[in-house]
Amino acid sequence: MISLHKISVNFTGDDLFKDLSFVVGDKERVGLVGKNGAGKSTLLKIIHRELLPETGTITLTAGFRTGYLPQEIAEDYTTTVKAETMKAFEELKSLESKINHLTTMLTDRKDFHTNTYIDMAQQLADATDRFHRLGGHTMEGDTEKVLCGLGFKPADFSRPLSEFSSGWQMRVNLAKILLQQPEIILLDEPTNHLDIESIQWLEDYLANFGGCLILVSHDRAFLDRVTTRTIEITFGTIQDYKCNYSGYVEQRLARVESQQNAYENQQKQIADIERFIERFRYKATKAKQVQSRVKLLDKMEKIEVENVDTSSIHFRFPPAPHSGKITVASEQLTLGYGNLTVLKDIDFQLERGERVAFVGRNGEGKSTLVKAIAGELVPRNGTICSGHQVVIGYYAQNQALLLDPNKTVIETIDEVAVGDTRPKIRSILGSFLFSTEDIEKKVKVLSGGEKSRLALAKLLLSPFNLLILDEPTNHLDMSSKDVLKNALLQYEGTLVLVSHDRDFLQGLTQKVIEFKDQHIKTYLGDVYDFLEKKKMNTLHELQQGEHDNGLSNKIVSLQKETWEKRKEEEARARKTQNKINKLEKEITGLQQQLQDLEKRMSYPEHYEESGMGGIFEQYEALKQAIADKEDEWLLLLN
């Protein structure tokens, strides 16, 4: 159980939230939602004890561990992918070392009946039992299964983790959390760095997770699949809904509408009462009725409409300048990095006004081709060129991370604004929810969503007719994603969109290009037309046959079975220990009674001869009871 009581957090003189309280059960799955900057990430850090609140208390079930995945990581890795992931088993490694040490010591000893030997043997038995319960003999196999599920290939296991992007490094951190099997998992935007197939794998894993899950995400489909309760943080308070995200949206609208209707009815009733009081205030014949209505007003419990944060970004892309019919074309294009070939012999053509989605597993070349189109990657072979008068607007996958952290918000925009755009800087920032105070903040103190909004705002500073967006929804809240989608629907230029967000992609594109095995394949229609043509229910079946699906299901089933078995064993162990503790107390009590009786028996002159027989019977009964309890105690220890 997680219990938060009157938690308050204050940043720069303003309350992020105040007197916030709620309880989460041991097996609940909670989605935390709210605007960027509402305090969702802060709340996860508080639960993980990484951040202390100004006031309030937090209580976790005794013995429960938290596994926390932040939005961003900043580590210098010196190990391989597998070696870093295996760090999840620190306790198991320690137990393994302890077992080996005790085994060696006991082998060399001959004092089998001494208390020291018995104590060491018991330590060895306890360590071995916990080692088995935590899955000590399957560490390597479990590690490889989880890494494969998160998109790594067996060939990647021995590669230095430093060679991988921050997104792949984030996956290793996620793998470590899943392998540690904590009782409480805290995930902050876990899908931002996953492709659709890995998202589906994580959905399956978390759907079968037997502990408590608290999740921050702006992926509707992911929240609906994984969570059963939604807590909204708004205006420093929370609203609690016992349903997934889609249910929360419906209930929230219905709740506010009901409150609004009740509020309007009450206001009309109050107005009628006040008119009556004013009209008959000075009439003696109506004094009693007037006084009655005054009391009614005083006792009336005023209805308030729940605060709803309706602020959202609002913008439109600049009109697209005219360009030639062919926007981008490539012939026999081969792209790669160092000795790694990512795409080979690609023939690709994009015409004016086309809207295309790039889909496929991470590492298959989506961002690589995007970089080549934007002119940031030189081909190894073949050609790629832009058409006549093509002006490219490019939002890179790590665009928010490329911002200078030491510049302020307004300095970031001012450095790229030219001509007529300069007087509009503050207006543009305002449309992206940056207040007068916010524009003086340094980029490094902004949340992930605020950085993404700032990077998007930079795209408005010049017109373009080819818009390339690589994972633009990462860190954006739900309403901001909706606004961006509406702006893209109105955009008149050519669009290339890389995204793993199924709901966001729907209806935005007319063509889907699948990246697989260094080549591309084109499908007409939007993302769900593509799914239907591929005869798939979900995008996780990209590049995955029946055998892989069966393996994935087996992995999930095995993980669920392992979790449940571990929990059952731990429950039995706790029950056994409780019995042992109870027996030890009972034995101590009986031994004390026996000592008292022995004192009485040492002075027989105080008792008549006729009463001694009963005392001896009581003495023997106590000795037998102690012997029985000790036998039961020894049986439980073994």
Side-chain angles (χ1 to χ4, degrees), residues 355-380:
R355 309 168 74 84
V356 179
F358 286 0
V359 300
R361 296 185 64 182
N362 283 352
E364 292 288 358
K366 303 184 299 295
S367 296
T368 300
L369 182 55
V370 158
K371 289 177 182 177
I373 295 172
E376 293 191 356
L377 184 62
V378 178
R380 284 184 175 178

Side-chain angles (χ1 to χ4, degrees), residues 23-47:
V23 175
V24 180
D26 289 349
K27 295 187 177 182
E28 283 200 274
R29 291 168 166 77
V30 180
L32 278 182
V33 300
K35 295 280 187 180
N36 290 134
K40 304 184 292 297
S41 298
T42 300
L43 197 56
L44 290 188
K45 291 177 182 177
I46 289 173
I47 296 173

Side-chain angles (χ1 to χ4, degrees), residues 443-492:
V443 170
K444 61 185 176 183
V445 304
L446 301 179
S447 69
E450 289 169 330
K451 290 176 184 176
S452 294
R453 295 205 309 266
L454 180 58
L456 279 172
K458 292 180 69 175
L459 281 178
L460 296 184
L461 299 180
S462 60
F464 36 77
N465 44 37
L466 171 56
L467 176 58
I468 304 173
L469 302 179
D470 192 354
E471 302 289 6
T473 62
N474 284 357
H475 304 297
L476 290 183
D477 58 38
M478 301 291 191
S479 61
S480 296
K481 283 164 58 175
D482 289 341
V483 171
L484 175 59
K485 184 171 182 175
N486 288 331
L488 290 173
L489 287 170
Q490 298 175 50
Y491 174 65
E492 298 175 351

